[in-house]
Amino acid sequence: MKDGLVIVDKPGGMTSHDVVARLRRLAGTRRVGHAGTLDPMATGVLVIGVEKATRLLGHLALTRKEYEATIRLGQTTVTDDAEGEITAAVPAGAVTREAVDAGIAALTGDIMQVPSKVSAIKVNGVRSYARVRGGEDFELAARPVTVSAFVVRDVRREGDDLVDVDVTVECSSGTYIRALARDLGAGLGVGGHLTALRRTRVGPYGAGLARTLEELAESFAVLPIAEAAAAAFPRWDVDERAARLLGNGVRLDAPPTVGAEPTGVFGPDGRFLALVEGREGQARILANFA
């Protein structure tokens, strides 16, 4: 089995762990892991590492994410999405497109966001969703996130009382799309929750690279580790002597282009050798793949 990433188009109804378990069977190895989870109801891009590429996952700066989502105005749920019980309903039929646009503008840019209570955030060592299930009453602190784009694609009336808003969101890691739905509805005074969510990009890996589990079952292949690393990190090409020294764990003098962020090192044959960071003029090895 080659080392590399698999960009999976996750189906709805499966957890990220379910996808990893399926990939282990398809790949014939236990060395499979994921880089960030998707909720069971969500579909789309899930980055999976196979064999040596599992050591790449923790260094991937997957800070930019893109989603397509549907927000339903007029209902509030306990989970801020369609999987939770409806806790309140306020007719949204009178909500105008102008009001929706104004509400979305207020949630765009650098904002403070209170995560959904059914998130995996730990509160005093206990997952927030576990506290909710236990009936505990608590509040989560707001956190800074960046919503770089929040664009309305369509607005549809669902009967007299509900409005569905299709949106595209580009945001920083740690942003909860469910919380955006909740806060948009709250700002409009009618409540809101998420009814559909599809992730279309994680870092440099977009939906165009993603393959369904059915496609992978028919023909399993990975995105080669060198190609995956070249897409995600700044590149430093070294000669054969430096490649040999790096393979033996020797620190090399770092060029000015190698800074504090991870840099991928490639040999003269294009082989991916290591991830390094610049420190005091030297290239400190973060992970050796030679």
Side-chain angles (χ1 to χ4, degrees):
M1 173 57 56
K2 293 182 179 179
D3 311 301
L5 298 183
V6 182
I7 313 303
V8 177
D9 187 342
K10 188 188 89 65
M14 293 184 73
T15 67
S16 300
H17 181 74
D18 291 337
V19 175
V20 168
R22 182 76 63 87
L23 265 290
R24 282 173 175 160
R25 292 194 295 272
L26 294 176
T29 177
R30 295 286 301 172
R31 293 184 67 189
V32 176
H34 64 75
T37 62
L38 267 179
D39 290 341
M41 74 166 276
T43 66
V45 174
L46 182 65
V47 178
I48 303 287
V50 177
E51 290 290 347
K52 283 185 180 180
T54 56
R55 294 193 284 121
L56 198 66
L57 299 178
H59 299 287
L60 291 172
L62 305 179
T63 54
R64 180 191 173 203
K65 300 182 180 182
E66 297 177 0
Y67 297 88
E68 293 178 353
T70 299
I71 298 170
R72 173 157 290 180
L73 301 175
Q75 293 174 337
T76 303
T77 74
V78 69
T79 57
D80 300 327
D81 62 27
E83 296 191 329
E85 177 185 354
I86 296 174
T87 57
V90 177
V95 173
T96 65
R97 173 62 189 266
E98 291 74 19
V100 170
D101 288 342
I104 282 178
L107 294 170
T108 303
D110 296 327
I111 63 172
M112 297 296 292
Q113 183 185 71
V114 177
S116 172
K117 284 189 176 181
V118 292
S119 66
I121 291 174
K122 287 187 175 181
V123 180
N124 296 327
V126 181
R127 299 288 185 189
S128 180
Y129 61 74
R131 291 180 176 273
V132 171
R133 290 172 184 168
E136 189 173 340
D137 185 22
F138 63 97
E139 297 296 329
L140 292 175
R143 305 186 309 169
V145 299
T146 299
V147 179
S148 52
F150 195 172
V151 179
V152 176
R153 301 196 318 274
D154 191 24
V155 176
R156 303 184 306 280
R157 304 285 169 175
E158 297 294 327
D160 295 330
D161 296 336
L162 301 175
V163 175
D164 282 352
V165 184
D166 295 331
V167 299
T168 298
V169 179
E170 297 178 18
C171 58
S172 62
S173 182
T175 304
Y176 287 88
I177 311 302
R178 283 178 295 166
L180 289 178
R182 175 201 67 202
D183 293 344
L184 177 62
L188 293 169
V190 296
H193 68 280
L194 204 64
T195 61
L197 181 64
R198 178 169 179 77
R199 189 158 68 187
T200 54
R201 177 170 293 277
V202 178
Y205 310 116
L209 295 172
R211 301 178 66 197
T212 66
L213 293 175
E214 290 75 18
E215 290 171 336
L216 290 166
E218 290 181 6
S219 176
F220 187 85
V222 300
L223 180 66
I225 192 168
E227 189 175 337
F233 302 102
R235 182 181 181 118
W236 176 24
D237 290 282
V238 300
D239 59 22
E240 190 59 45
R241 176 181 175 276
R244 186 170 58 254
L245 291 172
L246 198 64
N248 292 328
V250 177
R251 286 193 181 186
L252 305 177
D253 291 336
T257 54
V258 176
E261 299 299 319
T263 295
V265 185
F266 294 81
D269 57 356
R271 190 162 52 98
F272 176 50
L273 302 175
L275 279 178
V276 302
E277 66 177 2
R279 182 172 295 183
E280 297 179 351
Q282 289 194 314
R284 174 179 173 269
I285 299 173
L286 298 173
N288 201 326
F289 296 89

